[in-house]
Amino acid sequence: MQVQLQVNGKAVTVDAAPHTLLVQALREQLKLTGTHVGCDTAQCGACTVLMNGKAVKSCNMLLAQAAGTDVQTIEGMAAADGTMHPMQAAFKECHGLQCGFCTPGMVMSAVDLHKRQPNANEQQVREGLEGNICRCTGYQNIVKSVLQGSAAMKS
Amino acid sequence: MGASDFANLPHIGESVRRKEDYRFLTGAGQYTDDIVLANMAQCYFVRSPHAHAKIRSINKTAALAAPGVIGILDGQDVAADKINGLPCGWLITSTDGEPMKEPPHPILALDKVRYVGDHVAMVVAETLEQARNAAEMVEVDYEPLAAVVDVRDAQAKGAPAAHDIAPDNHCYKWAIGDKGEVDKAFVGAAHVTKIDLVNNRLAPNPMEPRAAIGHYNRAGDDYTLYVANQNPHVERLLMTAFVMGLPEHKVRVIAPDVGGGFGAKIFLYAEDVCLTWASKKLNRPIKWNCDRSEAFLCDAHGRDHVSHAELAMDKDGKFLAFRVHTDANMGAYLSTFAPAVPTILYATLLAGQYKTPQVYVEVDAWFTNTSPVDAYRGAGRPEATYLLERIVSRAAWEMGVSQDEIRRRNFITEFPYQTPVALQYDTGDFIACMDKSQELADVKGLEARKAESKAKGLLRGVGYSSYIEACGLAPSNVAGALGARAGLFECGEVRVHPTGSVTVFTGSHSHGQGHETTFAQVVAARLGLSPDQVDIVHGDTGRVPFGMGTYGSRSISVGGAAIMRALDKIEAKAKKIAAHLMEASDADIDFAGGEFKVKGTDKMVTFGQVALTAYVPHNYPLDKLEPGLNETAFYDPTNFTFPAGTYICEVEVDPATGVVRVDRFTAVDDFGTIINPMVVEGQVHGGVVQGIGQALMEHCVYDRETGQLVTGSYMDYTMPRADDFPNITIGHVCTPCTTNPLGTKGCGEAGAIGSPPAVINAVLDALAPLGVKDLDMPASPNRVWAAIQQAKA
């Protein structure tokens, strides 16, 4: 089965078995290993990517469902010269990560959250991150990062 | 250099932003599953669906014929190749002088399986899907046997036995303290508080599941194992010397970016050995990546103690003696460090922050048909703190004294302090921690907040926990005195390059703690460089001279101290080079801020000039000095370090539903010298949330009849999420550690150690008006609600 889609702004054609998950296509075929797999029940959110700008769990979606869409992964967030996206920069500044494994999914969820709720308060950010598990940070600095990143995205 | 000088250096105490973050934030991190080797095959393990069963036969014929299958190996193949079982790295002697029972721990089950998830066969195929499909076709004929999963059931007469060599399931009995003196002290006590409690079993759950790639290279007859692991050298030592009988220099273990450990990745696991062994047998690199549901079955679990404790006091609530009996569930096999956890890492901490003259602790360890239990964030110290801090608050309530007052009356105030259970605390200020935490927690406003809660029909309670932990594992002499056959040192190599930049090779391993930044701060401060001029290399036995890894909050106070020792040597040699350059005696050279000066003159050379001279020795006294500036040091600590603190938790409980809401949480810790406050606070946040997770939601549940793991995925095992907690208020007290050159004590586990009793004490404080006195973790809504109903009845 051939599936055509845009990944990080580039048109790609992926040749894969029909039951291939989007995360498998990203990691194994397109070698975009920044998207991680942390569970097998779509609970942890480490695999979160943006599809047409909306956060989706790529372990819970078939590649076929992504046909014709615009998928953005963590590798597509920084500018061409390597400058980090404001949300990435906020995570660094606020120490919103430790081991880094859940971080790409967190950043993608945070960017989507900003789009939906640009003026979210702390409690709304906490609720908005309900689908992403982090075991290291206790979330406090992630929440701080999202608030700061969201403010930076507005300016 | 002494600790006080060190703390005043530039960059020390500065929240330098982390060097490692760019790669993690841009998807450029490289975790084990991100690595793809040419011609790499995939592996899937056939695991036992039974808690306890005989293996009558394994039929691989159909599976071997399945598409893509390269090989299927089972226990018979292991035995034929004379691969040993997994060794236990910590040996305990029972009180009767007998060694602990150490049953064989085969890497693939030979004739019996002993827990759900036990390894039966490994299927290697071209793709993971093919390996999974073929695994379904491996026919294992099991004869199910009765199983036991609860540590209390394991002791019952006639209980099913997990191992023939331990027909009563008993692994060891161990004790510490003077029983006679303790018993005597109880006789004259004005009051005795008693408590029975369970420390619930947990799954560590680092977000990166375990993964490994075994790669045998026929050309060099050598192996590389990529593995998500916290201590690659120990992994290599155990695997080569004890299991496979391989020369160490033929095995390289690389632990690249590791997505969290929390203890679960300290141990040598069967899968790591299987992959290394099979990669030669099948002559292919082989990858295994653990599923989350598989991780619940086969990662070593944590905690799982059942304890009875008694605290004797005089009429003023002064502690006279403490007596404890604990039954520890070891699971089906002894994991790498498992026997150390309920003994030297637990019982020796039961003096806590208090001047209790007599303490006696007795521990029975038992086998059950469950996943092996081993160190998990805090390892023994959370269990000790939970027991002690629960009984101290209970004693306060029974004596009609406040929770803070009973602690203040008993705090140790003079240091060094020798406890009755082996440890000697070098320094601390427990009253200062209590004062600061009460101030930050706004304890004065509690009554008003209680009234507000009451008006809403809710109950508000406050809980205290004053913890102490022993970190910096493990001084070899102290460990040896406690009966262990191993201690733990650390190694550091400092390589100064000709242009004055530095690469440091450390035996510590970072899996989220930020060593690449913090260690660089240490080296930069010492040499007068900027942290950007220092790179840290870790996690690779092919590059780092030796190492014991990261756990037990040992990285800075042991690993950092080894680097400091290497820097001492660098400084000594650099002074000789500087003396030569300035035609002075090296005894007259001062070094500070990256500059070497001749005392009493204005002569000066920079660190960079000295480094270049070392590598361009054209004008160099080669008869007296070797070229180069590269030094290695090993450091074995003389004592543990003793971080301590007071945590205060305030909760609101809804008596109608049993829901507990943590309203505020205050953590005041004494970590000694702090190198990077941002990193340290991040460690506390994470630890506290893991501890609150244990207190309120996390719990591994096995079905008591069938031995099946009920909580086998994130659908059933409740993980803390962002909206479960408030922000944590943090404060620090600093009494520098006196036994290492940095004054650091370790901060990685404190949060998980101090918080569970604070939370449960708060819940019990809230429920006191309803008559609830006992509650085991996790204080889930149904448990709290049931306790309320029971108290009403």
Side-chain angles (χ1 to χ4, degrees), chain A residues 35 55 59 63 70 87 106-108 124 126 134 137 151 155:
Chain A
T35 302
C59 77
L63 168 66
D70 183 5
M87 190 59 78
M106 283 286 179
V107 170
M108 304 318 270
Q124 286 165 326
R126 284 187 177 273
C134 168
T137 63
S155 60

Side-chain angles (χ1 to χ4, degrees), chain B residues 476-547:
Chain B
S476 294
N477 51 3
V478 181
L482 287 165
R485 290 195 210 164
L488 299 166
F489 53 87
E490 198 48 272
C491 173
E493 180 188 347
V494 176
R495 207 178 282 175
V496 179
H497 302 294
T499 55
S501 64
V502 178
T503 305
V504 176
F505 301 81
T506 172
S508 300
H509 181 273
S510 180
H511 30 280
Q513 298 92 337
H515 293 172
E516 288 167 47
T517 305
T518 314
F519 282 32
Q521 280 176 258
V522 170
V523 177
R526 249 326 267 285
L527 298 181
L529 305 171
S530 93
D532 289 340
Q533 288 170 283
V534 183
D535 268 356
I536 306 296
V537 175
H538 62 91
D540 183 348
T541 65
R543 299 182 73 191
V544 175
F546 200 77

Side-chain angles (χ1 to χ4, degrees), chain B residues 178-495:
Chain B
D178 190 330
K179 186 171 189 301
E181 288 299 314
V182 168
D183 291 347
K184 228 188 280 171
F186 268 85
V187 176
H191 183 80
V192 174
T193 292
K194 298 181 182 180
I195 201 166
D196 286 286
L197 52 78
V198 174
N199 202 300
N200 47 325
R201 178 184 276 244
L202 302 175
N205 275 317
M207 292 318 298
E208 178 209 25
R210 284 193 295 123
I213 305 169
H215 181 200
Y216 173 71
N217 168 26
R218 202 172 262 181
D221 188 30
D222 54 24
Y223 301 79
T224 305
L225 175 68
Y226 299 86
V227 61
N229 187 275
Q230 299 173 224
N231 51 350
H233 282 87
V234 176
E235 170 104 352
R236 181 176 71 167
L237 173 64
L238 293 174
M239 186 167 71
T240 55
F242 296 97
V243 186
M244 295 182 71
L246 293 171
E248 267 177 293
H249 71 288
K250 289 291 187 187
V251 179
R252 178 177 179 186
V253 176
I254 300 175
D257 286 331
V258 172
F262 314 113
K265 295 171 182 168
I266 310 177
F267 323 121
L268 176 62
Y269 283 100
E271 293 90 353
D272 309 345
V273 179
C274 286
L275 290 160
T276 308
W277 164 63
S279 72
K280 178 172 182 179
K281 211 167 170 65
L282 304 173
N283 198 28
R284 293 280 296 268
I286 306 168
K287 178 189 278 185
W288 169 69
N289 195 48
C290 192
D291 287 346
R292 180 59 58 184
S293 302
E294 197 180 8
F296 274 103
L297 297 177
C298 68
D299 284 6
H301 292 165
R303 322 285 192 244
D304 208 345
H305 284 190
V306 176
S307 296
H308 173 76
E310 301 177 353
L311 181 62
M313 286 164 282
D314 70 10
K315 63 178 177 25
D316 300 321
K318 284 235 170 87
F319 304 161
L320 302 173
F322 188 39
R323 191 160 58 195
V324 176
H325 183 271
T326 291
D327 290 305
N329 189 345
M330 308 307 281
Y333 299 100
L334 294 178
S335 176
T336 311
F337 293 118
V341 178
T343 52
I344 81 155
L345 295 176
Y346 164 73
T348 58
L349 268 303
L350 279 165
Q353 298 193 358
Y354 312 109
K355 308 182 257 211
T356 313
Q358 297 295 340
V359 179
Y360 177 72
V361 187
E362 204 174 69
V363 179
D364 282 295
W366 306 90
F367 294 110
T368 61
N369 297 108
T370 60
S371 178
V373 172
D374 206 325
Y376 164 60
R377 201 170 194 170
R381 292 151 290 167
E383 294 91 320
T385 302
Y386 182 65
L387 182 68
L388 181 59
E389 292 304 292
R390 281 281 313 269
I391 202 168
V392 167
S393 282
R394 172 99 168 227
W397 294 320
E398 288 182 2
M399 300 290 283
V401 180
S402 66
Q403 289 180 72
D404 55 316
E405 179 55 30
I406 200 160
R407 287 174 168 82
R408 287 178 188 276
R409 283 185 199 174
N410 289 284
F411 277 155
I412 295 159
T413 49
E414 283 166 19
F415 297 89
Y417 178 82
Q418 177 63 51
T419 75
V421 278
L423 299 180
Q424 189 186 68
Y425 306 155
D426 63 331
T427 182
D429 189 343
F430 306 147
I431 293 172
C433 289
M434 174 63 83
D435 288 345
K436 194 155 196 174
S437 63
Q438 287 193 303
E439 180 199 323
L440 291 174
D442 184 25
V443 169
K444 285 183 189 146
L446 175 66
E447 285 311 314
R449 293 192 294 274
K450 255 189 180 168
E452 279 171 34
S453 296
K454 200 175 173 188
K456 291 184 283 181
L458 303 173
L459 298 163
R460 183 174 284 264
V462 68
Y464 283 73
S465 160
S466 295
Y467 78 93
I468 188 162
E469 52 168 331
C471 292
L473 305 184
S476 294
N477 51 3
V478 181
L482 287 165
R485 290 195 210 164
L488 299 166
F489 53 87
E490 198 48 272
C491 173
E493 180 188 347
V494 176
R495 207 178 282 175

Side-chain angles (χ1 to χ4, degrees), chain B residues 18-35:
Chain B
R18 298 203 320 173
K19 291 158 73 118
E20 44 272 83
D21 285 357
Y22 187 83
R23 69 174 188 273
F24 293 146
L25 279 162
T26 55
Q30 197 179 45
Y31 303 88
T32 300
D33 189 40
D34 300 340
I35 296 169

Side-chain angles (χ1 to χ4, degrees), chain B residues 1 526 561 563-573 741:
Chain B
M1 173 169 283
R526 249 326 267 285
I563 293 169
M564 287 289 275
R565 284 272 171 88
L567 289 167
D568 289 343
K569 295 184 187 179
I570 293 275
E571 187 177 315
K573 184 170 180 186

